Amino acid sequence: MNRTDSAGTAADLAAEAALLEIAEELGLSDLLDRAEPFTLRQATDLAAVPVPGAAAYLGALVSAGLVEQAAQDGPYTPVADLADRRYRAGYLSWALNANRPYIDHAALFLRDPETAGRTYARDGRKVAVSSRWIGSRGFYPGVIQEITSGAPRRVVDLGAGAGGLLVRLLRDLPDSTGLALDLSAAACEEALRAAQRAGVADRLEVVHRSIESIAEDPAPVRGADVVHAGFVLHDVVARPDVLDEVLRACRESLAEGGRMIVTDAVPYVPDPRERAFSALFSYLHASSMEVNLPPTEVWHEAFRRAGFTDVSSTPLQMPGSRVFQAAG
């Protein structure tokens, strides 16, 4: 089947997403990310599964064209475009797996969102993992460029999820430290594991707290050169007073010359490149999370109410996403 055929492309995407999610569950993603040859024994040890099972799974990756094996008993090598294919698979993983409760119980969320919200919750780890896959191409590059341009000594990430952004930043900034804050215990645990695997655990602190708590106790953000929040502050927008307090606490706690960088989404973008995923993102947040994504001008107004004087925004690769910068 020709890969340019739309049905074939959809079939490939579905298969690759499932196989890569299995790799994530087996703990093999870091091995694939290295883009270097690895052995069956390495995969078996990491996954802690029997050799025949690991060999069968790796054989499926070879058959799917996600890894290559030059000889029958030789090492495995991830294909050159694996990162790009995982990025594309991330949209499917986020849409159908991270948001599974909202899809399976769509009618209840429309009839009685309060009861549905109490009864059915997303898996924090699945949200964090799929967001990391999308972020690898969809927003991390633009955000990382903005953050590293100022060579910050300390970076705080609010709602850090699995810590993907901070781990990458600390790799690029060997003299810097970071703090990851997240409400999900599972995501915090994954962030610690990711930092250990990347060799930056000594420079990364993980704090299990809500973003709203910053308004009362801004200790985690105090002295930061950059405070980043990725796709989490929209959860606070419905309570403008709380959002104002969080933004104000961040501004007052920044080191001299510090900046706040917020990566988030604006609703129902009509641009052809963005409209479909933006529609899903906007709808799921409104119907199942009771979050109405604010348009660009509302974000700008919120930063200015908090005392920031220099505010700007730029589109990112992920449909509907924007990076907001605030200083002053």
Side-chain angles (χ1 to χ4, degrees), residues 44 89 144 153 182 195 205 212 222 230 242 306:
T44 301
I144 287 173
R153 299 284 297 183
D182 202 276
E205 179 183 357
E212 291 88 339
R222 192 167 291 128
V242 177

Side-chain angles (χ1 to χ4, degrees), residues 76-157:
Y76 302 86
T77 304
V79 296
D81 66 343
L82 181 61
D84 289 331
R85 290 158 78 172
R86 180 187 281 136
Y87 162 63
R88 292 192 294 268
Y91 288 102
L92 185 61
S93 178
W94 184 87
L96 295 179
N97 288 339
N99 293 286
R100 193 76 248 167
Y102 304 151
I103 296 171
D104 288 345
H105 308 284
L108 181 60
F109 273 99
L110 292 177
R111 288 195 300 262
D112 188 354
E114 185 175 344
T115 298
R118 288 198 308 266
T119 308
Y120 302 106
R122 296 192 296 177
D123 184 314
R125 184 173 181 274
K126 289 183 178 179
V127 174
V129 168
S130 60
S131 297
R132 188 178 77 240
W133 289 9
I134 294 174
S136 66
R137 294 289 188 272
F139 48 85
Y140 282 167
V143 173
I144 287 173
Q145 182 178 356
E146 294 294 348
I147 293 176
T148 57
S149 65
R153 299 284 297 183
R154 181 165 180 77
V155 181
V156 175
D157 194 13

Side-chain angles (χ1 to χ4, degrees), residues 10 12 21 31 53 55 96 104 139 142 147 169 180 191 211 234 261 275 283 289-290 299 321-322:
D12 289 344
E21 284 200 351
L31 201 61
L96 295 179
D104 288 345
F139 48 85
I147 293 176
L169 284 170
I211 293 172
H234 57 235
I261 298 177
R275 63 183 299 179
Y283 173 76
M289 307 178 212
E290 297 186 318
W299 283 110
S321 66
R322 304 291 184 267

Side-chain angles (χ1 to χ4, degrees), residues 159-194:
L165 175 63
L166 276 175
V167 167
R168 288 185 60 175
L169 284 170
L170 294 180
R171 282 173 171 168
D172 294 342
L173 301 168
D175 297 323
S176 300
T177 62
L179 183 146
L181 180 147
D182 202 276
L183 183 59
S184 166
C188 287
E189 291 170 2
E190 182 64 24
L192 284 171
R193 287 192 290 267

